[in-house]
Amino acid sequence: MTTKDEIRKALEAVIDPELRQNIVELDMVRSIEIADGGVVDVMVSLTTPGCPIRSHFQTGVTNAVKALDGVTAVNVGFDVLNDQQKAAIQRKLGGGALPNGALAQVDNVICIGSGKGGVGKSTLTANLAAALAAEGKAVGVLDADVWGYSIPRMFGLGAQRPPVSAERKIVPLEAEGGIKVMSIGFFLGEEDSAVVWRGPMLHKALTQFLEDVDWGVLDYLLIDLPPGTGDVSMTLAQLLPQAQFLIVTTPQPTAQKVARRSAEMAEKVNLEICGVVENMSGFTTPSGERFQLFGEGGGQALADELEVPLLGKVPLTMPLREGADSGQPLVFADPDDPAAQGIRHAARGLVALAPVKLPPRPPALDVIPPTAPAPKGMTLPMAG
Ligand SMILES: Nc1ncnc2c1ncn2[C@@H]1O[C@H](COP(=O)(O)OP(=O)(O)O)[C@@H](O)[C@H]1O
Ligand SMILES: [Mg+2]
């Protein structure tokens, strides 16, 4: 009769098609039991409960084990990897902090997040970038909302794919003000928009956005986070321990509760919270009448609670929404619009938060010849 070791050996033939390693190597085989009569139970741990390639594993494991001597039946069970096990896989796939040198020329990394969607994170990210650029800063924007990317639209980009440089780096697209923009949306067609990102793949894609993109010298890299407090933020925190966290909230108390949750997460993953921006704070009619549509004071209350500055209050204005839809950040189109003013105020606040904690720059960067990294197995679909 076949032994557990032989079964384990046979399972090396089962490859995770996305991670391109076998499930034994990835430590996804949780248990193997051999019962009387040659019935074998194999338990496989998946990266997510809704893993789309479950049936691939089911068939792969069954076929690999059934072929062994004395096996009469194979039962395949599934459970989900815990966070430690996922982290171990990520390390195996080359995770952990970015290697020395990646992003070495980026002074400030600011993740823009909030507990929920629709509070204006992406709109504020695009316009904060515009405001920082207008202040003469070199700015990049990374769209980390891989499930609901909207940054390409907000900058009027997306028709082209980012080119690849001679050094095999992905070159960000450039928006007005020289803002360097990178988004998964540049690589996906309409039909791909339902891509399911599993933990380790997500980690790999985000790593590539940071390592394999030619960000060059930047004063600010703004990262637009997806809603919620999940995998993306955890991964970025792991890759970018120097990053700061800017929280967007709306004035009403419930939104504040959600934003507080992201703050707790930022603390958990050890990212420094640099401030709060209150969005949708009031609406002023053309005749000057002011309405507090979403209540009042939420941003200040949250900032007080977190002991960080309230960097700005951004009112609701129609041009801000129109600019986001038409692909020209309002800060460029009409810097005097009340919302644009609020955002410019926040941007100046960010700049004033000096002294910022900088990661040490590698010494005499400009005398070291650029070493072209060996092309890696690109997982992003590339142009050309
Ligand atoms: N202050 C504002 N005034 C008017 N419209 C806004 C404002 N902030 C956000 N919006 C609009 O609200 C919608 C959601 O904003 P978005 O930035 O996509 O949110 P998130 O990224 O948090 O999901 C967009 O249509 C955006 O243009
Ligand atoms: Mg968004």
Side-chain angles (χ1 to χ4, degrees), residues 248-270:
V248 179
T249 191
T250 51
Q252 78 268 45
T254 48
Q256 195 196 327
K257 201 190 297 171
V258 188
R260 191 185 305 133
R261 215 178 297 146
S262 359
E264 278 160 12
M265 194 242 356
E267 267 160 17
K268 197 168 85 193
V269 296
N270 228 346

Side-chain angles (χ1 to χ4, degrees), residues 114 116-124 145 150 153-154 224-225 227 279-281 314-318 320-322 324-325 339:
S114 146
K116 67 166 192 175
V119 299
K121 282 183 304 297
S122 304
T123 311
L124 290 189
D145 190 350
S150 57
R153 174 172 56 85
M154 300 210 170
D224 183 22
L225 295 181
N279 189 26
M280 310 191 177
S281 37
V314 180
L316 280 159
T317 74
M318 222 148 77
L320 185 63
R321 204 264 309 142
E322 286 163 354
D325 285 346

Side-chain angles (χ1 to χ4, degrees), residues 185-254:
F186 296 153
F187 300 93
L188 302 176
E190 288 285 312
E191 72 280 7
D192 307 311
S193 51
V195 175
V196 180
W197 293 94
R198 299 191 298 142
M201 280 310 290
L202 185 64
H203 187 95
K204 209 164 171 181
L206 290 172
T207 307
Q208 282 194 290
F209 275 146
L210 298 169
E211 261 177 33
D212 298 343
V213 169
D214 186 13
W215 291 109
V217 178
L218 292 181
D219 295 308
Y220 288 89
L221 176 63
L222 305 186
I223 304 184
D224 183 22
L225 295 181
T229 55
D231 279 2
V232 169
S233 317
M234 298 287 279
T235 293
L236 286 171
Q238 206 180 338
L239 293 171
L240 298 166
Q242 81 275 33
Q244 304 191 59
F245 202 85
L246 177 67
I247 297 178
V248 179
T249 191
T250 51
Q252 78 268 45
T254 48

Side-chain angles (χ1 to χ4, degrees), residues 58 66-67 110 121 150 160 174 178-179 183 226 236-237 241 246 261 270 284 287 305-306 311 321 332 339 361 365:
Q58 172 100 39
K66 217 170 54 187
I110 299 179
K121 282 183 304 297
S150 57
Q160 330 119 286
E174 226 168 85
I179 299 169
S183 169
L236 286 171
L246 177 67
R261 215 178 297 146
N270 228 346
T284 309
S287 61
E305 187 179 309
L306 298 171
L311 291 170
R321 204 264 309 142
F332 284 137
R361 278 177 187 254
L365 197 71

Side-chain angles (χ1 to χ4, degrees), residues 103-109 218-221 242 356-359 361:
L103 295 191
Q105 303 178 84
V106 177
D107 272 354
N108 298 282
V109 180
L218 292 181
D219 295 308
Y220 288 89
L221 176 63
Q242 81 275 33
V356 245
K357 285 181 202 148
L358 299 181
R361 278 177 187 254

